[in-house]
Amino acid sequence: MEKVVITIARQYGSGGRTIGEMLAEDIKVHYYDKELLKLASEESGINERLFVNADEKVKFTNLLKIVKNTYKGQLIPPESEDFVSDDNLFNYQAKVIKQLAEEESCVIVGRCADYVLKDYDNVLSVFIHAPRDYCLEQAAKKVSMAPRELERYITRTDRQRAEYYKYHTGREWTDARNYDLCLDSSKLGFERCVEEIKAYLKVRFMS
């Protein structure tokens, strides 16, 4: 198999991150999640903390520009006052994602990677979702919160991810047309999701 990148978008509590880790281990490729923030910081010279603070969320003041700021691949130069803006933080993160897609096979979670790599032939984009009750059940295994507080946290996190995706891509995060494969982890379980992604990889890239 040539270099292949699997991007995984996921609802909070659906297990998308776990599925991504399991897949990467199974097919023996690198797994990228928050490590992308460190790599983008090293690439740009911008403090990693700024990338962490802007990770998969958009400031309220930026929401009015949702459609106007669709990512087009540009970088803002260091001499600009917008060099450390959230927009440019995304630009550098996207640059790193593209570099990875050109250099190695890997699994990339979140960060609009499916859109950033939409013109790459070696990319399989996946969306992992599940009903709210299942997401609550799974999240409760990892996060210590009261049920009502956890439900609010999941709602807020998914809303932030949707706004972030819309702001940088102009698209709806949960629209199945954005992805090659959409999987309900509550019906398949994590291991079967991994197997389904591997089966798709085989049909798509090895037939």
Side-chain angles (χ1 to χ4, degrees), residues 32-40 96-97 100 108 111:
Y32 292 98
D33 187 354
K34 292 188 180 299
E35 186 179 350
L36 290 170
L37 309 180
K38 179 180 179 181
L39 293 174
V96 167
I97 289 172
L100 292 173
I108 300 176
R111 285 90 192 174

Side-chain angles (χ1 to χ4, degrees), residues 14-199:
S14 67
R17 177 179 295 175
T18 301
I19 291 167
E21 291 174 332
M22 292 170 60
L23 175 65
E25 182 177 358
D26 191 302
I27 63 176
K28 296 179 173 52
V29 300
H30 204 126
Y31 168 85
Y32 292 98
D33 187 354
K34 292 188 180 299
E35 186 179 350
L36 290 170
L37 309 180
K38 179 180 179 181
L39 293 174
S41 174
E42 292 173 350
E43 175 71 26
S44 63
I46 298 172
N47 192 303
E48 185 178 348
R49 178 178 54 81
L50 296 179
F51 285 94
V52 172
N53 290 341
D55 190 30
E56 293 197 292
K57 50 185 174 286
V58 176
K59 293 178 181 176
F60 180 77
T61 53
N62 285 340
L63 293 181
L64 295 177
K65 301 191 297 180
I66 279 178
V67 177
K68 296 181 181 178
N69 199 58
T70 302
Y71 170 73
K72 296 181 176 65
Q74 70 281 12
L75 290 172
I76 300 173
E79 59 270 18
S80 171
E81 61 181 13
D82 292 327
F83 179 64
V84 295
S85 66
D86 286 358
D87 293 343
N88 208 35
L89 297 180
F90 181 86
N91 294 341
Y92 270 100
Q93 196 168 259
K95 181 182 180 182
V96 167
I97 289 172
K98 287 181 176 180
Q99 289 173 341
L100 292 173
E102 293 166 1
E103 295 171 357
E104 62 177 285
S105 292
C106 59
V107 174
I108 300 176
V109 172
R111 285 90 192 174
C112 306
D114 60 282
Y115 183 83
V116 172
L117 301 177
K118 62 183 175 59
D119 296 324
Y120 285 60
D121 294 331
N122 64 327
V123 175
L124 167 60
S125 57
V126 181
F127 184 76
I128 305 294
H129 61 96
R132 175 52 62 89
D133 288 348
Y134 180 84
C135 291
L136 278 167
E137 179 184 337
Q138 294 300 313
K141 296 177 182 178
K142 295 187 175 183
V143 181
S144 180
M145 291 183 186
R148 187 170 296 180
E149 182 184 4
L150 182 57
E151 184 166 7
R152 287 196 294 266
Y153 180 76
I154 290 175
T155 298
R156 182 173 67 254
T157 301
D158 281 348
R159 184 181 67 248
Q160 288 174 338
R161 289 177 179 174
E163 290 171 348
Y164 178 87
Y165 191 87
K166 181 69 175 290
Y167 178 68
H168 290 295
T169 74
R171 298 179 176 184
E172 297 299 328
W173 181 53
T174 56
D175 189 337
R177 292 172 295 183
N178 298 331
Y179 310 97
D180 297 310
L181 189 63
C182 295
L183 299 173
D184 184 336
S185 56
S186 72
K187 294 179 179 177
L188 296 176
F190 295 173
E191 291 184 0
R192 184 63 183 277
C193 282
V194 170
E195 292 304 315
E196 290 298 324
I197 296 171
K198 287 168 58 183

